Amino acid sequence: LAWATYLIRQADVLISHNAEFDQPRLDLLGLMSYKPHLCTRRDLFIPGTKGGKLSHMAMDLGIPVLTLHRAGADVRLLAQVLCTVSNLDDFLREGMGPKLLVKANVSFETKDLAKNEGFIFHHATKTWRKKITESEYLEWQKPFGIVVIEEKK
């Protein structure tokens, strides 16, 4: 635990998959409140993947998955996924920038279009949502429309 705490304190930004799960655990250690955090499930869409589960993203990229839901194995798997991103520094810098929360204009029959683009189903509003950059919004060329719900800083 001391080694993990040391590494987290040295990091400029924390990257995890499904930060909603990780954040409460890191908060208990007092390590989240002052660190920028990126989530590969909600903040970053890894090129060459359909988003969703870390194991699915890895398999989309041809990375073998040997163990699931063990902290060390998940960290290694996420590192392997991130190593597939060209210009990783630029990719992460853009990920740290302001985002727009958008919802997909899809029906139940066409929901897989949104799911395959990394949108996540929001049960309370029964909509498919995703955070994207302003440039992604301006360049949107997918087979379904999107609507801005709110701007995130």
Side-chain angles (χ1 to χ4, degrees), residues 16-24 37-42 52:
S16 65
H17 186 78
N18 197 6
E20 287 181 352
F21 176 83
D22 296 328
Q23 193 156 2
H37 195 262
L38 288 173
C39 175
T40 55
R41 185 162 183 243
R42 289 188 167 68

Side-chain angles (χ1 to χ4, degrees), residues 14-28 32 37-43 101 120-123 129-131 152:
L14 302 179
I15 302 170
S16 65
H17 186 78
N18 197 6
E20 287 181 352
F21 176 83
D22 296 328
Q23 193 156 2
R25 285 139 189 89
L26 292 173
D27 281 343
L28 288 174
M32 280 302 292
H37 195 262
L38 288 173
C39 175
T40 55
R41 185 162 183 243
R42 289 188 167 68
D43 299 320
L101 180 63
I120 298 170
F121 189 70
H122 186 257
H123 293 278
R129 295 178 168 194
K130 178 179 176 178
K131 289 187 229 173
K152 300 255 183 192

Side-chain angles (χ1 to χ4, degrees), residues 96-107:
M96 294 291 296
K99 298 281 192 316
L100 303 171
L101 180 63
V102 297
K103 69 176 182 177
N105 286 332
V106 292
S107 65

Side-chain angles (χ1 to χ4, degrees), residues 4-139:
T5 301
Y6 171 79
L7 290 175
I8 290 169
R9 288 200 169 114
Q10 300 306 310
D12 294 324
V13 61
L14 302 179
I15 302 170
S16 65
H17 186 78
N18 197 6
E20 287 181 352
F21 176 83
D22 296 328
Q23 193 156 2
R25 285 139 189 89
L26 292 173
D27 281 343
L28 288 174
L29 298 172
L31 298 172
M32 280 302 292
S33 59
Y34 66 94
K35 289 285 180 181
H37 195 262
L38 288 173
C39 175
T40 55
R41 185 162 183 243
R42 289 188 167 68
D43 299 320
L44 298 170
F45 186 68
I46 305 295
T49 73
K50 295 177 185 170
K53 296 181 178 187
L54 178 59
S55 58
H56 293 182
M57 290 169 49
M59 289 186 285
D60 288 345
L61 296 165
I63 299 169
V65 178
L66 305 175
T67 306
L68 293 173
H69 304 300
R70 310 294 337 141
D74 286 354
V75 167
R76 281 188 294 281
L77 193 57
L78 181 55
Q80 289 177 293
V81 166
L82 289 171
C83 283
T84 68
V85 177
S86 61
N87 299 317
L88 184 59
D89 286 343
D90 293 339
F91 180 74
L92 295 176
R93 197 172 297 108
E94 186 172 351
M96 294 291 296
K99 298 281 192 316
L100 303 171
L101 180 63
V102 297
K103 69 176 182 177
N105 286 332
V106 292
S107 65
F108 178 79
E109 292 77 20
T110 60
K111 71 180 182 332
D112 286 341
L113 293 172
K115 194 174 180 180
N116 290 340
E117 290 296 327
F119 283 74
I120 298 170
F121 189 70
H122 186 257
H123 293 278
T125 60
K126 299 191 181 342
T127 57
W128 288 88
R129 295 178 168 194
K130 178 179 176 178
K131 289 187 229 173
I132 63 174
T133 64
E134 186 174 342
S135 63
E136 288 174 302
Y137 177 74
L138 294 172
E139 296 167 8

